[in-house]
Amino acid sequence: MDFLFDSNMTTEEIAQNLLGCLLIKVTKEGTCSGWIVETEAYLGELDEAAHSYAMKRTPRIESMYKEAGTIYVYSMHAHQLLNIVVQESTIPHAILIRAIEPHTGIELMTQRRKKEGLLLTNGPGKLTKAMGIDKKDDGTLINKESLYLSQIERKKPKKIDKTARIGIPNKGVWTDALLRYTVSGNPYISVKKGKLDNGFGWECVNNTIMRIEETK
DNA sequence: ACGTCGATCTCCT
DNA sequence: GGAGATCGACGTA
């Protein structure tokens, strides 16, 4: 967790550092986990695409004005989206977790999603449904309740791609800003371009049998 | 009280 | 690749 509280790191650096961290959710149905493969940075006060743009403050976005490590979950189009607040409470920056590569609890995720393979977690609304993350997690602290981030079992991306964020039209320079970070070649990335990597884009693939299931 | 609008997903062609 | 689903939060009245 210290990486989130390192005040020397920018939000962009933290967003890249989260790639390869293991995200874990514990529920009474069981535990699910997966490696983060896609993140987006939202830079509060200056960023027109952020909910907290111009320090706007409403009950929905209160969590963005809490300490680093606070979970911010909000709903849109009947989906839940997971963010992690990463700076002190006066700086409303958050990182959207957009995709994970499943690790454990795959059977439970399959039940919840009623889908298989890449479709389990290759999108921000999909991964929250698969892992059982919802509004009850909003405002809670990471590693304190039922949602955890582990660096112990982490993987390291061979290469990180930087692209424009998804679904941000008409926001001037913020539409094109390279604030989306993906593990290059990982098949669970939500909007893919470029070719897939046989090792899922990780540096060391130890004993893990990789199989890319084509779906579309 | 009501109209608008998404940091999306699914199904269909 | 595109339309429709869908729903809560927010702004305006």
Side-chain angles (χ1 to χ4, degrees):
Chain A
M1 268 310 292
D2 27 335
F3 62 94
L4 283 179
F5 290 98
D6 184 348
S7 55
N8 294 318
M9 287 178 78
T10 65
T11 299
E12 294 94 313
E13 288 168 343
I14 297 168
Q16 292 172 70
N17 194 30
L18 284 179
L19 295 176
C21 286
L22 193 64
L23 183 71
I24 305 154
K25 172 68 180 178
V26 178
T27 65
K28 61 178 187 295
E29 294 84 27
T31 298
C32 298
S33 69
W35 288 283
I36 297 171
V37 300
E38 176 175 351
T39 59
E40 284 180 2
Y42 286 84
L43 307 180
E45 67 281 0
L46 298 172
D47 182 353
E48 293 179 42
H51 293 158
S52 51
Y53 171 56
M55 300 302 280
K56 187 172 91 146
R57 202 156 173 166
T58 65
R60 176 178 68 141
I61 54 182
E62 261 319 284
S63 296
M64 284 194 75
Y65 295 86
K66 292 187 179 176
E67 65 184 293
T70 301
I71 307 299
Y72 171 42
V73 176
Y74 73 95
S75 61
M76 65 100 49
H77 285 94
H79 300 283
Q80 311 286 96
L81 274 65
L82 169 65
N83 299 254
I84 301 170
V85 178
V86 294
Q87 301 289 351
E88 55 186 291
S89 59
T90 52
I91 305 174
H93 288 195
I95 294 167
L96 171 66
I97 309 298
R98 286 192 53 91
I100 64 166
E101 175 189 325
H103 176 42
T104 62
I106 292 176
E107 194 174 326
L108 177 55
M109 291 195 264
T110 305
Q111 282 173 25
R112 285 174 173 151
R113 288 276 299 129
K114 299 178 171 62
K115 305 278 180 192
E116 296 185 336
L118 299 180
L119 296 176
L120 281 183
T121 54
N122 64 345
K126 299 179 192 179
L127 77 90
T128 54
K129 183 169 184 191
M131 298 188 88
I133 295 165
D134 58 30
K135 268 286 183 33
K136 289 194 291 297
D137 295 297
D138 180 63
T140 65
L141 277 173
I142 196 101
N143 292 357
K144 288 277 195 305
E145 312 265 336
S146 65
L147 191 61
Y148 303 86
L149 262 182
S150 169
Q151 293 205 91
I152 298 166
E153 242 186 303
R154 74 168 301 164
K155 290 178 177 254
K156 189 168 165 39
K158 266 189 289 203
K159 179 166 173 281
I160 295 174
D161 289 328
K162 303 178 176 76
T163 55
R165 292 172 292 182
I166 304 297
I168 314 284
N170 311 318
K171 291 288 193 287
V173 297
W174 298 101
T175 292
D176 301 315
L178 302 180
L179 293 172
R180 173 174 177 251
Y181 308 101
T182 53
V183 176
S184 188
N186 188 287
Y188 284 90
I189 292 165
S190 65
V191 180
K192 285 186 276 295
K193 72 174 171 60
K195 61 176 193 289
L196 297 177
D197 182 88
N198 284 334
F200 281 30
W202 305 116
E203 218 161 56
C204 295
V205 181
N206 39 335
N207 301 333
T208 309
I209 298 164
M210 296 297 182
R211 192 176 70 249
I212 296 172
E213 303 169 38
E214 287 301 339
T215 52
K216 194 164 174 177

